[in-house]
Amino acid sequence: MLKITNLKAGYGDTTVLQDISMEVHESQIVSVIGSNGVGKSTLMQTIMGMTACKSGQIEFGGQDISALPTHKILETGIVMVPEGKHIFPRISVQDNLMAGAYLRKNKEEIKKDLQRMYDMFPILKERKSQKAGTVLRRRRPDHRSEGCRNLRRRQEAFPYRKWFQPV
């Protein structure tokens, strides 16, 4: 599904990733682990087209996405769920969730997935009209919440961990 071959990427003259190769197959879970500054974020940003691929190849579903802009990569079904409270704090909880569905066309499926998020996290339904920035705060890493940020079009997610709990 995702295949990276001899990837080289970085910022300006600085190479952060050199000769990275890996494959992630459908339904496979892979962790990228390392100390600060070793290139985990650069790898994710390069897959998403936010950092330029200097050489090598990134394929998703057999399609070369190495040189695609980020908005085209999103259309292939890849999303990245960044760590932390990366929400739009001044809009409602529901509008934040709906922002994740902007590429989707099927309104019934969106409605069904939104209800699934509310079933998983009932407090979000209770506070759906509340400004998102007033609802969430950091929590211990024992609460799974990636689903709330991934109301996309059933895309393949490469999530960073993030945690939240209602205030």
Side-chain angles (χ1 to χ4, degrees), residues 38-99:
V38 297
K40 300 176 302 292
S41 295
T42 302
L43 175 61
M44 296 299 135
Q45 291 171 358
T46 306
I47 291 169
M48 292 304 302
M50 299 177 341
T51 298
C53 175
K54 294 180 179 188
S55 65
Q57 186 173 40
I58 304 170
E59 291 179 39
F60 181 70
Q63 175 188 359
D64 184 358
I65 63 168
S66 306
L68 290 180
T70 302
H71 71 280
K72 292 291 184 187
I73 292 171
L74 280 170
E75 290 173 6
T76 69
I78 299 176
V79 297
M80 181 171 75
V81 182
E83 175 183 20
K85 290 198 257 182
H86 295 282
I87 59 169
F88 300 105
R90 294 186 181 106
I91 65 172
S92 71
V93 168
Q94 182 157 328
D95 288 344
N96 266 273
L97 292 171
M98 294 305 294

Side-chain angles (χ1 to χ4, degrees), residues 26-40:
E26 191 169 345
S27 300
Q28 185 178 18
I29 298 173
V30 174
S31 295
V32 178
I33 301 170
S35 302
N36 290 341
V38 297
K40 300 176 302 292

